[in-house]
Amino acid sequence: MNPESRHKAGAAPEPSAAGGSLQLSGKQLLLAITGVMLAMFLAAVSQINIATAMPRIVVDLGGFDRYTWAATAYLVASAIAIPIAGRLADIFGRRIFFVLGLAVFMIGSIPAGLSQSMNQLIASRAVMGVGGGILMANSFAAAADLFPPAERGRYIGLIGLVYGMSSVIGPPLAGFITDNISWNWVFLMNVPAGIPVLWLLARTYPQISPNVEKRKLDYPGMVTLTLAVASLMIALSRGGLHDQWGSLQVGGLLGFGLAMALIFLVIESKSDSPIMPLEIYGNRAVAVSVTVTVLTGFGLHSTALFTPLFFQGVLGSTATGSGGLLTPMMLGMVFGAIVSGRRLSRTGEGYRRQALMSSGAMAAGIYLISTMNENTGIARAMAYVSLTGLGLGGAMSACNLAVQNSVPFRLVGSATSAIQFSRLFSGTLGLAVLGVVLTAGFSSRLEETVSESVRAALAQGQFEAVKQNPRALVDPSAIEALRAGFAERGLDGVQMADSFLGALGSALVGGLRDAFTLSAIVVGLSFVAALFLRVEKRKG
């Protein structure tokens, strides 16, 4: 069936399954791309901007023991929604899911902004995460709808730009709104901002009815995937932070999640219309790209989280300043994605070379970060995080393009979602593992360097508490309280305070070095995986 015979009133011609791109007018293409990028921006900003609003939220709502749950709820819900939405969009078309995803996102934003308790906020953030996951899954896959393979790299670069800029703009914007209006409007603003985007997508994004013979929904697969992802991600998020890794809560969630994952794989292997078609992993480009994404994603969130800790705890930067020092990483990611996408669009080949250069650059950047210490200058630190971002952006672009240009159009959403899901899940895994490494390295070094006399000068249980949470390095009030406690011992107390703070800084440098070294090794394995990347263009 040719595109003309499937043209619907008020919509652009629909692509054949083999085509994977539309012939749109310049104006409609521009409007459609604009709508997609704005939707992506709203979803990406809401993923990270809550960090700057949470201190004020906790003051109003209480629930400090659930401080991280509002962010975790969004990530878990997004991770569940991404593969499901990607597959359903392959079956029913992407426009309806852009509209649905943005509508759910906006609906969840209203009770989030009007929350009267922390539990209400957490539940509302989960609803927002579902909508955000639907938007993120289809924003990357939209390249296959709107562009032929040779031009998709430019679009992937633009999406990288939007994603990177959301990381730069989101936290300061949320902080400004919180300080000058109220934290409620960090969420409520999504409604007036989302309405014109919703209208734009509904009016300009082409209506496509994919050539899919079986439209039966895989409900058992959806249920088991939801249970597996939710259990595993919650366990990874709580382990070592809220509960011990060997606790019944974490161990039970991990065991249940793994069991559900195995059942999910069995269901998908036998389903007539699987929610996550396992056949995509038989494609070499998909299998290698997912592997590269898992390995690079392992180091993504840990680098973004632990580097500000170094800036604040070791170099003495403020919280605001440490956030600004991460800007080069985000800008490097944007530049890497754009350059990689444009180069691949221009040549139509070189995926392996681009993935090798990018993964190698990211691994080198994280390794250089692991060498930082008290004497590292700000300029050098910024250069290291810039190199890390540059490599990450290039790897993201290369993997997305390799997948989209190698699978049949009917599976583009599923394959692209596999990349996004892998990055999100491996990032959560990386935070959990590297958090344990950091804490263990910090604690052991502190045990070795702090003398018995200094420990005796501390209040009962204070040394053990500091080993688990070195708050005195990043909180000026905690430093003052610590010094005041030691000052009661006179001159010796002042010297003890200096010695203890110095030991804390050295131990933190050592713990961070352990975490970044392991991260560099894992990301370095992505270079090995990229050696096997090969893209064979397919149709159908």
Side-chain angles (χ1 to χ4, degrees):
M1 185 180 292
N2 58 47
E4 289 75 17
S5 64
R6 295 200 309 274
H7 185 74
K8 295 184 178 181
E14 300 167 2
S16 65
S21 61
L22 296 169
Q23 297 299 320
L24 303 177
S25 68
K27 180 180 179 181
Q28 184 180 3
L29 183 60
L30 177 61
L31 291 174
I33 296 171
T34 301
V36 171
M37 290 195 297
L38 289 174
M40 176 68 173
F41 181 81
L42 289 174
V45 163
S46 290
Q47 183 175 311
I48 59 174
N49 68 356
I50 193 174
T52 50
M54 276 308 297
R56 189 70 59 83
I57 292 173
V58 169
V59 170
D60 288 352
L61 302 183
F64 185 78
D65 59 321
R66 286 152 286 164
Y67 187 93
T68 62
W69 287 20
T72 301
Y74 190 98
L75 293 176
V76 172
S78 294
I80 294 170
I82 283 173
I84 294 176
R87 178 54 180 159
L88 293 181
D90 281 341
I91 298 175
F92 298 104
R94 261 172 276 284
R95 186 171 78 171
I96 182 61
F97 284 94
F98 272 122
V99 173
L100 176 64
L102 188 52
V104 171
F105 176 79
M106 292 163 58
I107 290 171
S109 297
I110 297 173
L114 300 177
S115 294
Q116 300 298 308
S117 69
M118 186 62 76
N119 288 340
Q120 184 182 348
L121 176 63
I122 292 167
S124 301
R125 286 283 293 174
V127 175
M128 291 176 63
V130 172
I134 295 173
L135 292 174
M136 286 189 282
N138 288 288
S139 293
F140 282 94
D145 285 349
L146 304 176
F147 300 97
E151 298 179 12
R152 290 173 189 167
R154 295 184 178 88
Y155 173 82
I156 295 296
L158 287 174
I159 286 292
L161 172 63
V162 172
Y163 197 86
M165 292 310 295
S166 69
S167 302
V168 175
I169 296 173
L173 178 61
F176 177 83
I177 293 172
T178 300
D179 290 338
N180 294 278
I181 307 176
S182 75
W183 63 262
N184 308 79
W185 280 96
V186 171
F187 309 109
L188 292 176
M189 67 175 290
N190 291 326
V191 178
I195 289 175
V197 180
L198 184 67
W199 180 87
L200 189 62
L201 286 168
R203 293 283 296 176
T204 65
Y205 198 88
Q207 174 64 41
I208 302 171
S209 298
N211 292 335
V212 179
E213 295 180 0
K214 298 177 180 179
R215 295 179 182 267
K216 180 181 178 182
L217 298 183
D218 178 19
Y219 293 110
M222 293 184 198
V223 172
T224 51
L225 176 65
T226 299
L227 293 174
V229 173
S231 300
L232 292 173
M233 289 193 69
I234 292 173
L236 291 173
S237 299
R238 293 185 60 83
L241 182 62
H242 298 282
D243 301 301
Q244 295 297 319
W245 284 103
S247 67
L248 179 61
Q249 295 92 328
V250 174
L253 283 171
L254 286 174
F256 180 74
L258 291 173
M260 288 297 101
L262 291 175
I263 295 173
F264 170 73
L265 292 176
V266 172
I267 291 173
E268 296 305 276
S269 66
K270 298 179 179 181
S271 176
D272 293 333
S273 182
I275 200 68
M276 186 181 287
L278 300 183
E279 66 178 283
I280 63 175
Y281 296 100
N283 182 301
R284 181 170 177 171
V286 174
V288 173
S289 294
V290 167
T291 302
V292 171
T293 300
V294 167
L295 295 171
T296 54
F298 186 90
L300 167 59
H301 294 293
S302 57
T303 302
L305 182 65
F306 295 154
T307 303
L309 179 59
F310 175 86
F311 288 141
Q312 293 182 53
V314 179
L315 299 185
S317 173
T318 63
T320 302
S322 67
L325 291 171
L326 271 185
T327 299
M329 178 179 173
M330 302 307 173
L331 295 179
M333 183 176 74
V334 171
F335 184 75
I338 291 176
V339 170
S340 176
R342 291 183 68 86
R343 178 174 295 178
L344 290 173
S345 290
R346 186 172 62 251
T347 63
E349 55 187 19
Y351 296 92
R352 180 191 301 169
R353 181 171 61 252
Q354 193 64 52
L356 285 170
M357 290 191 299
S358 299
S359 58
M362 184 178 179
I366 296 177
Y367 169 74
L368 290 172
I369 291 174
S370 75
T371 66
M372 297 191 304
N373 55 40
E374 301 91 333
N375 300 316
T376 301
I378 294 294
R380 181 182 298 181
M382 293 175 69
Y384 294 166
V385 298
S386 297
L387 179 61
T388 302
L390 184 70
L392 172 64
M396 288 173 58
S397 184
C399 289
N400 275 300
L401 284 170
V403 165
Q404 290 191 1
N405 292 344
S406 64
V407 300
F409 180 71
R410 62 185 175 85
L411 295 175
V412 162
S414 298
T416 306
S417 296
I419 295 291
Q420 315 313 320
F421 173 79
S422 299
R423 182 177 298 113
L424 190 58
F425 190 84
S426 65
T428 304
L429 176 63
L431 282 177
V433 173
L434 296 175
V436 171
V437 172
L438 169 61
T439 302
F442 172 79
S443 298
S444 64
R445 287 175 174 83
L446 205 60
E447 284 279 1
E448 296 171 358
T449 55
V450 177
S451 66
E452 289 297 330
S453 61
V454 172
R455 297 187 197 189
L458 293 167
Q460 185 176 4
Q462 189 174 9
F463 181 70
E464 293 299 322
V466 170
K467 283 202 307 181
Q468 299 302 317
N469 181 17
R471 178 169 168 257
L473 287 171
V474 296
D475 186 345
S477 63
I479 294 178
E480 292 179 7
L482 187 67
R483 287 192 178 278
F486 277 110
E488 296 176 358
R489 294 178 174 265
L491 181 60
D492 288 342
V494 174
Q495 294 175 344
M496 285 182 180
D498 291 337
S499 173
F500 187 56
L501 288 172
L504 283 175
S506 297
L508 182 60
V509 169
L512 287 169
R513 181 180 296 118
D514 293 344
F516 283 126
T517 299
L518 176 59
S519 181
I521 292 172
V522 173
V523 174
L525 293 175
S526 67
F527 180 89
V528 179
L531 290 170
F532 300 92
L533 182 60
R534 185 175 64 200
V535 175
E536 295 179 359
K537 298 180 180 179
R538 294 174 56 185
K539 295 183 178 181

